[in-house]
Coordinates of all heavy atoms in Angstrom, one line a residue:
Y240 N 18.1 13.0 7.2 CA 17.5 12.7 8.5 C 16.5 11.5 8.4 O 16.5 10.7 9.3 CB 16.8 14.0 9.0 CG 16.1 13.8 10.4 CD1 16.8 13.8 11.5 CD2 14.7 13.5 10.4 CE1 16.2 13.6 12.8 CE2 14.1 13.3 11.7 CZ 14.9 13.4 12.8 OH 14.3 13.2 14.1
L243 N 18.6 8.4 8.5 CA 19.2 8.2 9.8 C 18.1 7.7 10.8 O 18.3 6.8 11.6 CB 19.8 9.5 10.3 CG 21.1 9.9 9.6 CD1 21.4 11.4 10.0 CD2 22.2 9.0 9.9
K244 N 16.9 8.3 10.7 CA 15.8 7.9 11.5 C 15.4 6.4 11.3 O 15.2 5.7 12.2 CB 14.6 8.8 11.3 CG 13.5 8.6 12.3 CD 12.4 9.6 12.2 CE 11.3 9.4 13.2 NZ 10.2 10.4 13.0
A245 N 15.4 6.1 10.0 CA 15.0 4.7 9.6 C 16.0 3.7 10.2 O 15.7 2.5 10.5 CB 14.9 4.5 8.1
A246 N 17.3 4.2 10.3 CA 18.3 3.3 10.8 C 18.5 3.4 12.3 O 19.4 2.8 12.9 CB 19.7 3.7 10.1
G247 N 17.7 4.2 13.0 CA 17.7 4.4 14.4 C 18.9 5.2 14.9 O 19.4 5.1 16.0
K248 N 19.5 6.1 14.0 CA 20.7 6.8 14.3 C 20.5 8.3 14.3 O 21.4 9.1 14.4 CB 21.8 6.5 13.2 CG 22.2 5.1 13.2 CD 23.3 4.8 12.1 CE 23.8 3.4 12.1 NZ 24.7 3.2 13.3
E249 N 19.2 8.8 14.3 CA 19.0 10.2 14.2 C 19.5 11.0 15.4 O 19.8 12.2 15.3 CB 17.5 10.5 13.9 CG 16.6 10.3 15.1 CD 16.1 8.9 15.4 OE1 16.7 8.0 14.8 OE2 15.2 8.7 16.2
K250 N 19.6 10.4 16.6 CA 20.0 11.1 17.8 C 21.5 11.1 18.0 O 22.0 11.8 18.8 CB 19.3 10.5 19.0 CG 17.8 10.8 19.0 CD 17.1 10.2 20.2 CE 15.6 10.5 20.2 NZ 15.0 9.9 21.4
S251 N 22.2 10.2 17.2 CA 23.6 10.1 17.4 C 24.5 10.7 16.3 O 25.7 10.7 16.3 CB 24.0 8.6 17.6 OG 23.6 7.9 16.4
V252 N 23.8 11.3 15.3 CA 24.5 11.9 14.1 C 24.1 13.4 14.0 O 22.9 13.8 14.1 CB 24.1 11.2 12.8 CG1 24.8 11.8 11.6 CG2 24.5 9.7 12.9
L253 N 25.1 14.2 13.8 CA 24.9 15.7 13.7 C 24.8 16.0 12.2 O 25.6 15.6 11.4 CB 26.2 16.4 14.3 CG 26.1 17.9 14.6 CD1 25.0 18.2 15.6 CD2 27.5 18.3 15.1
I254 N 23.8 16.9 11.9 CA 23.6 17.3 10.5 C 23.8 18.8 10.5 O 23.2 19.6 11.3 CB 22.2 17.0 10.0 CG1 22.0 15.5 10.0 CG2 22.0 17.5 8.6 CD1 20.5 15.1 9.6
G270 N 15.5 20.3 16.1 CA 16.7 19.4 16.4 C 17.1 18.5 15.3 O 17.9 17.6 15.4
V271 N 16.4 18.6 14.1 CA 16.8 17.8 13.0 C 18.1 18.2 12.4 O 19.0 17.4 12.1 CB 15.7 17.9 11.9 CG1 16.1 17.2 10.6 CG2 14.4 17.3 12.4

Side-chain angles (χ1 to χ4, degrees):
Y240 180 80
L243 291 167
K244 187 175 181 180
K248 295 177 177 290
E249 75 276 15
K250 294 182 180 180
S251 60
V252 179
L253 191 64
I254 300 175
V271 172

